[in-house]
Amino acid sequence: MRARWLGLVALAAAASAVAGCGGVSSSGALETTGNQLSVYSSLPLQGASAPVSQQIVNGEKLALSNVGGHVGQFSIGYVSQDDSSPASGKWDRGVTLANAEAAAKDTSTIAYLGDYESAATALSLPLLNAAGILQVSPSSPYVGLTSSLDAGQDEPERFYLTGRRNFGRLQPGDTVEAAAQVELMRALGVHKLYVIDDQDPFEVPLAMITASAAQRAGITVAAHDSLPVVPETRFTGEVEKVVHSGAQAVFFAGGDGAGTVTLWQELHSADPELLLLGVSSMASESFTSQLGAAAVDTYITTPLLPSDLYPAAGQKILAEYRRTFGGDPDGNALEGYEAMSVVLASIRAAGAKGNQRPAVVSRFLATKNRESVLGRYSMEADGNTTLSRYAIDRVSGGRPVFFRLANVSASQRLNG
């Protein structure tokens, strides 16, 4: 397995190198300059991710607007950064590092909202940790950012150069998605499972955690294969292995690209009764609209709930969002709103020390039983949220559509 993590090690090493020689102090600036504070946001604002990111940004802006841009004696500014490349429309390593370094060098920075992708957060986190800046991601579920469970080499320690935690995510992480998948398998009567991942180091642990959780639940795991899933690839040999294994379902952890579409279609063609279980990175219409006949047996887990399943506070903010920005917002807008809101609450809780980075980080990680637009939650010392509701979607009309809710218990949330 060690070779599989080389890509992740390289990412973390690049971030560490910038932190060490790019002018960002490893001790961090403990106090910002005066009463003018800045909150940075870094999200992919171009390409296919742009609509989701724009909802998050608008939610962040709305939360700051609702407090008049002030918390106590402190005036709060907002800086929205784009971590994507104009050429590809996807998040970019160089841009992500530049964004994080800019925030880390700004003596007014009190918090950083981002990044969205786990791989991007793996780059920005060491820089922001070195500067002692609170980092709150609306997503980034990768287990290695907070835990050593099935994670890469020296994780999560490699992300925390100071030895102190400064990161938290608002969406449930990998262990919760794994538990939601197992709950789905049991509901579907799955007794034998085949696990596949696409060798992405940020997806492999989810496959491993899910396989272990399935076995603990009494589900036989026929095999766990890792294979490159790229466009124009045929999966004849892999499909034959799945069919001959007698598995009732395939769990796949990977991306939503053309290669995954082909794999899905070939699996369904070989065995039309085979259940096809996908992860949140596949919960996009760009993927589901291409599945054809395979759509009928497709189930996808996602942390984004139907709008009417969020609490009354969330419903109120969604209505305010519509009046302010238009459109039809969903849970992404609420994730952005809460990311900014919990930062503002942490500054407020720090009182006169609201411009001291360690105090704000401490107050954030001490969040308990917070009534938010996402529901009631606490932050754990490792940076995980106690939020644990997960949606399961099916495909209808080429789109992912809510099917049922998975409520994950505390023990499942911690252990997968």
Side-chain angles (χ1 to χ4, degrees):
M1 291 293 294
R2 184 177 297 271
R4 189 175 294 161
W5 302 107
L6 289 179
L8 182 53
V9 170
L11 287 175
S16 299
V18 174
C21 58
V24 180
S25 169
S26 61
S27 61
L30 298 184
E31 188 170 332
T32 62
T33 303
N35 293 342
Q36 175 64 53
L37 309 179
S38 298
V39 176
Y40 278 72
S41 172
S42 181
L43 297 165
L45 300 177
Q46 303 175 79
S49 299
V52 167
S53 296
Q54 193 59 59
Q55 280 200 46
I56 296 172
V57 167
N58 288 345
E60 293 167 352
K61 291 178 178 178
L62 186 58
L64 185 57
S65 174
N66 282 351
V67 299
H70 289 82
V71 176
Q73 69 195 67
F74 304 108
S75 177
I76 314 296
Y78 176 72
V79 182
S80 175
Q81 300 172 304
D82 182 0
D83 70 8
S84 61
S85 162
S88 68
K90 299 179 180 180
W91 82 271
D92 179 85
R93 298 180 184 184
V95 177
T96 296
L97 285 169
N99 287 354
E101 186 170 14
K105 286 183 173 180
D106 184 345
T107 57
S108 73
T109 303
I110 197 65
Y112 184 94
L113 308 180
D115 290 79
Y116 190 85
E117 298 284 348
S118 293
T121 297
L123 284 173
S124 61
L125 180 51
L127 284 166
L128 297 161
N129 181 263
I133 295 170
L134 172 61
Q135 181 169 0
V136 181
S137 174
S139 181
S140 298
Y142 174 60
V143 68
L145 296 172
T146 57
S147 169
S148 61
L149 178 65
D150 288 324
Q153 183 179 356
D154 299 328
E155 292 177 352
E157 290 78 15
R158 70 168 62 254
F159 301 118
Y160 301 96
L161 305 181
T162 66
R164 298 183 295 272
R165 297 294 178 105
N166 66 308
F167 169 77
R169 52 170 157 249
L170 294 182
Q171 284 186 1
D174 284 348
T175 58
V176 176
E177 180 157 22
Q181 281 282 345
V182 172
E183 182 177 315
L184 171 62
M185 294 171 201
R186 296 176 72 172
L188 295 175
V190 174
H191 300 292
K192 195 170 188 180
L193 176 71
Y194 206 103
V195 176
I196 302 174
D197 67 65
D198 67 355
Q199 299 183 341
D200 182 332
F202 294 93
E203 297 287 358
V204 172
L206 177 54
M208 297 170 66
I209 295 167
T210 302
S212 296
Q215 289 175 322
R216 289 197 300 272
I219 299 170
T220 300
V221 176
H224 176 185
D225 291 342
S226 294
L227 63 153
V229 179
V230 295
E232 301 179 5
T233 300
R234 297 300 301 271
F235 301 96
T236 304
E238 183 67 14
V239 170
E240 288 179 353
K241 289 170 63 179
V242 172
V243 173
H244 291 158
S245 75
Q248 299 159 283
V250 170
F251 169 74
F252 175 75
D256 63 351
T260 306
V261 173
T262 301
L263 174 63
W264 233 242
Q265 292 172 338
E266 292 185 6
L267 285 167
H268 178 76
S269 178
D271 182 359
E273 301 300 318
L274 190 65
L275 300 173
L276 303 173
L277 315 180
V279 296
S280 57
S281 55
M282 300 159 64
S284 66
E285 190 170 343
S286 62
F287 172 70
T288 57
S289 64
Q290 301 180 68
L291 297 182
V296 68
D297 293 318
T298 296
Y299 298 81
I300 300 174
T301 44
T302 173
L304 293 178
L305 310 179
S307 296
D308 60 1
L309 290 185
Y310 289 104
Q315 302 297 326
K316 179 180 178 182
I317 293 304
L318 289 174
E320 185 177 359
Y321 182 107
R322 295 185 192 99
R323 292 192 299 270
T324 305
F325 302 105
D328 187 21
D330 55 27
N332 288 298
L334 296 180
E335 298 280 1
Y337 187 92
E338 179 55 20
M340 177 64 80
S341 293
V342 73
V343 164
L344 299 176
S346 300
I347 296 171
R348 183 178 296 107
K353 296 182 178 180
N355 63 347
Q356 295 182 23
R357 292 170 178 173
V360 174
V361 171
S362 177
R363 290 293 184 173
F364 169 75
L365 292 175
T367 298
K368 299 296 180 187
N369 298 319
R370 176 174 166 79
E371 298 290 352
S372 80
V373 296
L374 301 173
R376 177 186 292 180
Y377 72 94
S378 299
M379 292 306 303
E380 297 176 332
D382 62 2
N384 275 309
T385 173
T386 57
L387 290 168
S388 59
R389 293 197 300 171
Y390 235 82
I392 298 165
D393 290 351
R394 298 198 69 180
V395 182
S396 177
R399 300 174 58 248
V401 176
F402 177 70
F403 170 57
R404 61 176 292 170
L405 190 66
N407 283 299
V408 178
S409 69
S411 61
Q412 289 174 311
R413 178 169 52 79
L414 293 173
N415 300 311

